[in-house]
Amino acid sequence: QVQLEESGGGLVQAGGSLRLTCTASGRTFSRLSMAWFRQTPGKEREFVAAITWTGDGTDYADSVRGRFTISRDNAKNTVYLQMNVLKPEDTAVYFCAADAVYGGVWPRDYNYWGQGTQVTVSS
């Protein structure tokens, strides 16, 4: 089993930045691919970014490419999402996810999930 806990959400003005952190415990973190998803009320959970277990491969949704950066520190069992030039449409609950297989962009591709952290971007 893997337990994931997100932190770092909050309220920020448009154009600002936030860094989300996801800390893992349980199964060997360094062998897990990690991802961030987000969800707004009434909408399906959507893919934001993913990173391989080595950290040398990343993938981003078109809506965040060039503004968000996913990274990881396997020594700290932590994955990060640096979010820059935030827009009101980035407002959502952000979830950390993990799985042994890299490349999934759908929620069904991930077996482990955190509880989420709220990000609100004001205009």
Side-chain angles (χ1 to χ4, degrees):
Q1 283 290 350
V2 176
Q3 293 78 45
L4 304 173
E5 184 173 2
E6 304 94 338
S7 61
L11 174 64
V12 64
Q13 289 189 333
S17 299
L18 279 176
R19 187 176 81 159
L20 304 183
T21 299
C22 173
T23 302
S25 60
R27 182 176 170 174
T28 304
F29 174 78
S30 63
R31 296 295 181 178
L32 293 172
S33 295
M34 304 295 296
W36 289 94
F37 284 75
R38 65 187 182 187
Q39 188 171 24
T40 55
K43 294 189 177 181
E44 293 185 358
R45 196 166 294 188
E46 67 171 357
F47 172 77
V48 175
I51 189 167
T52 59
W53 68 269
T54 58
D56 60 357
T58 57
D59 190 20
Y60 296 92
D62 289 342
S63 59
V64 306
R65 194 184 310 273
R67 300 188 297 120
F68 291 11
T69 302
I70 188 170
S71 62
R72 66 190 295 162
D73 185 339
N74 286 344
K76 297 181 178 179
N77 286 0
T78 300
V79 63
Y80 305 98
L81 185 67
Q82 177 67 44
M83 305 185 295
N84 298 327
V85 195
L86 281 161
K87 305 175 181 180
E89 51 264 43
D90 294 318
T91 295
V93 177
Y94 283 71
F95 295 89
C96 177
D99 199 82
V101 179
Y102 173 74
V105 298
W106 302 103
R108 63 176 181 264
D109 296 325
Y110 293 85
N111 282 314
Y112 306 105
W113 291 89
Q115 294 299 307
T117 185
Q118 176 71 47
V119 171
T120 302
V121 184
S122 63
S123 57

